Amino acid sequence: VDGIEIEKAVLEASPYFHHVNGGAEKDPRARYVLDDARGYLAATRRSWDVIISEPSNPWRAGVASLFTEDFYRSARSRLREGGLFAQWLQLYSIDEYCVKMVLRTLATSFAEVQVWWLDPGDVVVLASDVPIRMSRSRADALLDGPFREDRVRYARIGTTPEFYARFLLGTAGVRSFVGEGPVHSDDRPYLEFEAPRAVFRSSGHEASRLLAAKLSSGALVPPLDGASLPEEAIWAGLSEMLRSAGRGPEARAAASRAAALGDGMLGRTRLAALALDAKEVPAALKLLSETRAASSSLAPDLRREVETLWGLIEIAGGSTDDGAKTLEAAGSLEGPY
């Protein structure tokens, strides 16, 4: 892994974050270069299977140069056959015009694009010159294996099949969403000037717009190789995304749909969480009691989630010590709680 970092202080600060970055700067498989990413890509003859671009926000002076059609084509030229480019994009302090411009520029620079939800404030855009398909068995093995705790604690994905609901738009969906408009380039640097203005124009609804575009597109999951996905997990995952975006009624509708599929356990758990959010403790207690009664038949991840919610119900009822013990037994006390 080659890391291109323009600011030396970032590498110097890394030891303070070993609890989340795993001591990346000490990994013998990684090499770090202090340089500007554009200059490095223009000068090197190296090529990679994957290039991930995570600069700062495009409203910062000079950063928009890493969002241009010219940079994307430079990165594309350094990808091996079938390689993948990934672009982080924030959804906070930005407006619809700038989000669509970035996506339009990527869709102009690459044949295939996909947008994936990280959280209400962030997405990642995958881009390639070949169709982007995921091996479900390989992804499941990673999400249930080395990345399981990250999936639960940081990505807030309760069960692995729900991960695939994070897919927002494919190539056709992106092109329909962005429509006609300007492309950001070196000689026409629209984003350089519009992104700072967007900080003040931002409505805070960009996550909701992308969720609406996903539902309108009808493509609820990404192109996959492998076993089909349980439909209840997709609606449960969508419910959690809507919940985190503050779309309570839509989140309940999606969770209710999940509860009507399969054995209903996953959907009822999501409905219980939403009831707790609304301080409807009796409703949450009723929903969770039904699910908890069948806890022996639940998958470990769902069982942990049920016990976590039960602990929160105990706390809401005034039994703080009991709730803390339940959270600790569930293995949730060190996470968001």
Side-chain angles (χ1 to χ4, degrees), residues 142-221:
L142 291 168
L143 292 167
D144 285 330
F147 297 115
R148 180 173 181 265
E149 288 303 308
D150 289 339
R151 167 175 61 76
V152 174
R153 293 186 187 280
Y154 301 119
R156 303 303 298 275
I157 300 172
T159 63
T160 291
E162 291 174 78
F163 163 76
Y164 301 99
R166 299 284 177 108
F167 170 79
L168 288 172
L169 295 170
T171 304
V174 167
R175 292 189 170 140
S176 174
F177 176 69
V178 302
E180 297 293 327
V183 169
H184 178 54
S185 63
D186 285 351
D187 60 345
R188 298 191 178 210
Y190 300 109
L191 190 67
E192 182 79 33
F193 299 96
E194 293 300 330
R197 293 187 179 108
V199 173
F200 303 98
R201 291 195 305 240
S202 176
S203 66
H205 297 316
E206 301 320 309
S208 296
R209 284 193 180 95
L210 283 167
L211 284 168
K214 169 189 172 79
L215 291 170
S216 296
S217 74
L220 297 183
V221 296

Side-chain angles (χ1 to χ4, degrees), residues 293-308:
S295 62
S296 60
S297 63
L298 299 180
D301 282 338
L302 186 54
R303 192 180 311 126
R304 174 160 75 169
E305 196 168 344
V306 166
E307 288 304 304
T308 297

Side-chain angles (χ1 to χ4, degrees), residues 219-230:
L220 297 183
V221 296
L224 280 174
D225 292 325
S228 60
L229 292 160

Side-chain angles (χ1 to χ4, degrees), residues 5-126:
E5 175 54 57
I6 198 171
E7 175 52 66
K8 184 181 178 184
V10 169
L11 296 177
E12 292 172 343
S14 182
Y16 294 102
F17 299 93
H18 279 181
H19 60 293
V20 288
N21 70 23
E25 82 283 359
K26 293 183 174 181
D27 196 310
R29 299 169 297 176
R31 180 177 75 108
Y32 295 92
V33 180
L34 284 170
D35 202 345
D36 171 69
R38 283 200 63 160
Y40 184 83
L41 279 182
T44 187
R45 293 184 178 180
R46 294 172 66 87
S47 60
W48 294 271
D49 298 307
V50 177
I51 296 176
I52 301 171
S53 182
E54 191 181 0
S56 189
N57 310 68
W59 47 260
R60 296 178 66 90
V63 173
S65 67
L66 291 172
F67 290 83
T68 64
E69 182 182 25
D70 310 76
F71 172 64
Y72 292 145
R73 287 180 174 171
S74 176
R76 190 181 70 186
S77 72
R78 301 266 57 89
L79 283 172
R80 293 174 187 153
E81 186 177 353
L84 197 66
F85 179 84
Q87 171 72 67
W88 165 80
L89 176 65
Q90 96 276 7
L91 298 180
Y92 54 88
S93 300
I94 199 169
D95 66 358
E96 182 180 10
Y97 181 81
C98 290
V99 168
K100 288 184 175 180
M101 189 192 304
V102 173
L103 296 180
R104 189 182 301 115
T105 302
L106 277 159
T108 301
S109 307
F110 291 89
E112 300 285 334
V113 287
Q114 289 182 358
V115 183
W116 286 75
W117 171 282
L118 298 178
D119 57 46
D122 304 273
V123 294
V124 64
V125 188
L126 305 182

Side-chain angles (χ1 to χ4, degrees), residues 215-260:
L215 291 170
S216 296
S217 74
L220 297 183
V221 296
L224 280 174
D225 292 325
S228 60
L229 292 160
E231 194 177 353
E232 64 265 33
I234 300 306
W235 286 102
L238 184 57
S239 172
E240 185 61 28
M241 293 157 69
L242 289 161
R243 175 194 180 199
S244 65
R247 305 291 295 268
E250 294 98 324
R252 282 181 186 250
S256 296
R257 189 157 181 172

